[in-house]
Amino acid sequence: AVRNLRIVSPLQALTIPDPEVKEEITTARRHFLDRFKVGLEAESKARRELAEKKSEQLQADATAPDWAKQAASSVNRIRNADEKHIETAFDNAVAQFDRDRPSKKAAKNSNRYQFVGLINSASSKTPIMWYARKKPTNARWSVRLVHADQAAIVKDLFNRGKVDIFARYE
């Protein structure tokens, strides 16, 4: 069944981002991963510090005569305090990361319009029809080429029950 599967994309597009914006584009995934990495590094550092402090404390407490009872009664209290300390370290590191790297504003591009070229391979006179519109303020591209595969679009419409017969009149 997998061999017979054929995916046909009815629209194929090539978008050319503005050169000023291209260097500044950071995806949401990249931003999340960088924040998460900084938080995990701070968390592991806090865990190491707590482990060192705990080993020193255990050595000091082992000399007390009733150290077993004291250790058993304070296990949950110490564990909760440690987890709270680790969470605070993570949150502080992420907050510091956000302060150090504010979200970058897109640079102004001198292009006032966006151009879309619609590729029509059936027409030999004008293989590309160009359309223009005023560029929105938050737009990150100026030129886009779109190739519409008419056969794939008609097949998709037929599969969804939108058309029964398709004919071309000349």
Side-chain angles (χ1 to χ4, degrees):
V2 176
R3 286 185 223 156
N4 295 334
L5 180 66
R6 184 173 172 206
I7 298 172
V8 179
S9 174
L11 291 177
Q12 297 169 347
L14 169 68
T15 302
I16 302 171
D18 293 334
E20 295 86 11
V21 176
K22 193 172 186 178
E23 292 106 25
E24 295 183 10
I25 293 176
T26 57
T27 62
R29 180 174 190 250
R30 171 60 32 208
H31 182 69
F32 168 77
L33 290 175
D34 289 343
R35 287 179 76 221
F36 193 64
K37 181 181 175 185
V38 166
L40 284 179
E41 288 171 354
E43 186 176 309
S44 65
K45 181 182 175 187
R47 285 186 192 277
R48 281 193 304 271
E49 291 172 357
L50 285 174
E52 290 173 6
K53 187 166 56 168
K54 190 180 283 186
S55 67
E56 292 172 2
Q57 188 178 18
L58 283 174
Q59 290 173 357
D61 289 346
T63 59
D66 58 343
W67 66 271
K69 289 180 185 177
Q70 289 178 357
S73 66
S74 64
V75 167
N76 285 337
R77 183 178 46 83
I78 292 173
R79 185 179 301 141
N80 291 340
D82 289 351
E83 288 300 320
K84 187 161 187 78
H85 176 73
I86 291 168
E87 287 177 14
T88 304
F90 183 92
D91 293 340
N92 290 341
V94 169
Q96 182 65 35
F97 177 83
D98 289 341
R99 280 193 300 271
D100 291 346
R101 291 189 186 178
S103 59
K104 295 181 180 179
K105 295 288 182 186
K108 285 288 183 186
N109 191 317
S110 59
N111 296 338
R112 293 181 13 217
Y113 296 96
Q114 286 181 324
F115 299 96
V116 176
L118 183 61
I119 299 172
N120 184 5
S121 56
S123 173
S124 61
K125 278 185 170 181
T126 55
I128 300 178
M129 296 282 294
W130 287 99
Y131 300 93
R133 70 174 186 177
K134 287 197 182 252
K135 191 173 187 177
T137 55
N138 59 350
R140 296 182 171 195
W141 59 272
S142 293
V143 179
R144 177 175 284 169
L145 285 172
V146 178
H147 178 262
D149 186 356
Q150 188 176 15
I153 293 172
V154 171
K155 183 178 183 323
D156 181 57
L157 290 172
F158 178 77
N159 289 343
R160 290 188 295 147
K162 302 291 182 182
V163 294
D164 291 330
I165 299 173
F166 178 78
R168 192 175 295 170
Y169 297 100
E170 292 184 25

